[in-house]
Amino acid sequence: MFNYRAESPVDADRVRQMCDSMVHRGPDDQGLWTDEKRQVTLGQRRLAIIDLSPLGHQPMHWADGRYTITFNGEIYNYQELREQLLSQGRQFRSHSDTEVLLALYERDGEEMCSLLRGMYAFVIYDKVEEKVFIARDPYGIKPFYYADCGGVFTFASTVKGVERSMKFDDSLDPAAVVSFFVWGYVATPHTLRKGIRELPAGHRMVVSKEGIGTPRQFYSLSETMARAAETSIRPEAMREALVEAVRDSIRHHLISDVPVGLFLSAGVDSTSLLSAMHGLGYPSTTLTLGFQEYRGTGLDEVGIAEQVAKQLDASHQTIWIEGKEFGSDLEDIVEKMDQPSVDGVNTYLVSKYARQAGFTVAVSGLGGDELLGGYVSFTQIPEIVKRTRWAAGMPWLGRGLRKLASPIVSRFTSPKMAGVFEYGGSVPGAYLLRRSHFLPHELFKFLDPEIVTKGWEELQTLQKLQDSARGGASTYEKVALLEAQWYMRNQLLRDSDWAGMAHSIELRVPLVDIKLFEAMAPFIVRGVAPHKDDLAACLHPSVRDTIVNRPKSGFSVPVRQWLMEEDASNSERSVRGFAKMIGRRFGIPVSTGPGGRPAVGPMADNRSGTF
């Protein structure tokens, strides 16, 4: 908390309460520091992973006392940076990556971010200039939320932490509500509360006596992709480059002073990471979840995972669970979720049992599908655009066809299909059509019409999708950028953070790494993008045939079946029904008419041209 107007002292007790709300994120240590002028109080809950000694305690001060930091995350190249700083005469008291951040800021100031490889969100207070510097990693793996009220800047790793500050506008943000029902997540920079915002990934910000500065981008996946065309490559060297980059990433992600485990499925992503760990001689500990509902079916990954673990000398554990586990955990899932989401249950469950198995750090194969074109969106979206491009220049025709077709289409397939001519003619529109759970016009059936209209207008969704895809020349490149910057960033990475930290588990994602992305981008822009069969080159020979020749199933959780058991009256036992249930639990007014039928808002048939 930073009172940048210095009209009254900061409320250190309030900051302590904010930290107390996040004990699960850092059960090993706690710290609270207030400056002499009582303008700033920094708090920390620590999950000790690097330098477990008291010297790793936070908030941490630089040697001369000018700079103080509170930091969430891991800097995977901190050892190289530390050696460089030592060679330049800087001295360290600890062996932590946190102190390296302080030294870099003392040397490079805000430009330090370009040197960092890792997942991070941190705040550094400069007592001489009386300002705070904030930065968040390029992918947004670690969260950062903030609010400003009457000259008091408050921040935390969770929305609920900021809410404990009691200094924010707590009215419902229409854009966040609409975003959640359209995408299944609240898109950055929004949260459900108007007064709380999320610092975008790859951005930095300064708060000083002059006020809160505008977030400034220091890293862009889109710009990196666009610049990749200037890099010279040998197309035939793509697979070799991929294997080398993956192995380099896993080597960096294993840096830890506590053992690092692995969430193992029967897929190529996690098995490739285990193969790399095995090749490095790292003593691997693995965990697989089995679901009673899937036992003996094509979705049961347990048998193959156990076989792979044995062949690669991993200490393996399989845990079988069933629907009653979900029912007993549902309240805690919603509480720890922090922002509403239709995903994350799988990560919550595997993290729960990983903690019971003694894990503190776990490696996940998340990110492989985005990097390697593993989603059907990579083939479906180009096809949709190709077939409906003719309608892109006639938006009135697309809207008209959608209105005529909606009552009929919804009887036979997804109601979204009625919007194929309205949205399908462009990559952003086709992505919305493919990834959304509800199209915007459908929201009038169960949400306040004013919320829908205001929220959709504020989101500017199609324009922001266009901006995100701008670095891609081909449709494939555009889809890759959209998946990484929308679905992965706002859904998968955010869910991995809250669901892992719900059980004090730090999840590391070696396939979500800027050096790996930079190594592959030149091949992607030249039409030789890596795919899953290329990643299979990372597999140990003893398991390659087993993994490559099995049908792809993905890591699946029988949430739909569990929801039916939890609520037999739910008429929408799908992700749409789950979204409405989660929305209600977060206080979003979701309406239904008589007999459980959706109520139609008064504006549903009197809408602007947007819909």
Side-chain angles (χ1 to χ4, degrees), residues 286-464:
T286 54
L287 178 70
T288 299
L289 284 193
F291 301 98
Q292 295 292 354
E293 290 84 354
Y294 292 160
R295 191 189 283 266
T297 73
L299 294 173
D300 185 358
E301 300 191 328
V302 168
I304 293 178
E306 290 178 341
Q307 178 184 339
V308 165
K310 182 177 181 180
Q311 290 173 301
L312 296 181
D313 302 319
S315 175
H316 183 75
Q317 185 175 151
T318 296
I319 296 178
W320 289 94
I321 66 173
E322 52 189 337
K324 63 182 180 181
E325 303 275 354
F326 172 75
S328 62
D329 285 335
L330 186 55
E331 290 300 325
D332 191 59
I333 288 172
V334 176
E335 171 62 26
K336 296 301 194 310
M337 196 174 275
D338 197 48
Q339 291 210 73
S341 171
V342 298
D343 207 344
V345 173
N346 53 347
T347 308
Y348 175 95
L349 292 172
V350 72
S351 298
K352 172 184 175 180
Y353 292 106
R355 190 62 179 181
Q356 293 178 14
F359 284 40
T360 300
V361 179
V363 169
S364 165
L366 188 157
D369 287 314
E370 289 79 6
L371 180 70
L372 305 168
Y375 294 129
V376 294
S377 56
F378 283 90
T379 54
Q380 286 185 350
I381 288 176
E383 188 66 21
I384 292 171
V385 172
K386 178 182 177 181
R387 291 179 178 273
T388 60
R389 183 176 281 122
W390 61 270
M394 299 179 284
W396 54 270
L397 177 61
R399 285 195 296 272
L401 290 173
R402 183 253 298 164
K403 290 178 181 179
L404 289 173
S406 287
I408 301 171
V409 168
S410 60
R411 298 177 186 174
F412 303 101
T413 185
S414 168
K416 294 192 302 176
M417 291 308 298
V420 67
F421 294 110
E422 183 176 11
Y423 295 106
S426 68
V427 173
Y431 185 78
L432 173 67
L433 196 69
R434 174 68 186 87
R435 274 293 181 193
S436 64
H437 299 295
F438 293 93
L439 289 177
H441 67 272
E442 296 181 90
L443 305 184
F444 287 98
K445 298 177 181 179
F446 58 88
L447 292 176
D448 183 296
E450 186 176 353
I451 287 179
V452 177
T453 301
K454 287 184 177 180
W456 183 249
E457 289 176 354
E458 183 178 349
L459 282 173
Q460 296 293 304
T461 298
L462 292 173
Q463 180 59 54
K464 289 182 179 178

Side-chain angles (χ1 to χ4, degrees), residues 14-49:
R14 184 66 65 181
V15 177
R16 183 178 290 106
Q17 292 174 32
M18 294 168 65
C19 290
D20 289 346
S21 73
M22 296 183 286
V23 172
H24 56 283
R25 296 184 66 89
D28 298 330
D29 190 18
Q30 60 181 328
L32 199 71
W33 172 82
T34 301
D35 74 314
E36 299 89 340
K37 296 181 179 180
R38 299 183 65 191
Q39 292 177 263
V40 59
T41 294
L42 301 181
Q44 172 76 16
R45 294 294 322 193
R46 186 183 183 208
L47 183 64
I49 293 171

Side-chain angles (χ1 to χ4, degrees), residues 563-584:
L563 282 172
M564 293 172 65
E565 295 169 359
E566 285 294 304
D567 182 9
S569 65
N570 184 3
S571 60
E572 287 185 284
R573 301 184 184 103
S574 63
V575 69
R576 289 181 166 219
F578 188 51
K580 291 179 181 179
M581 183 195 74
I582 292 295
R584 291 189 188 98

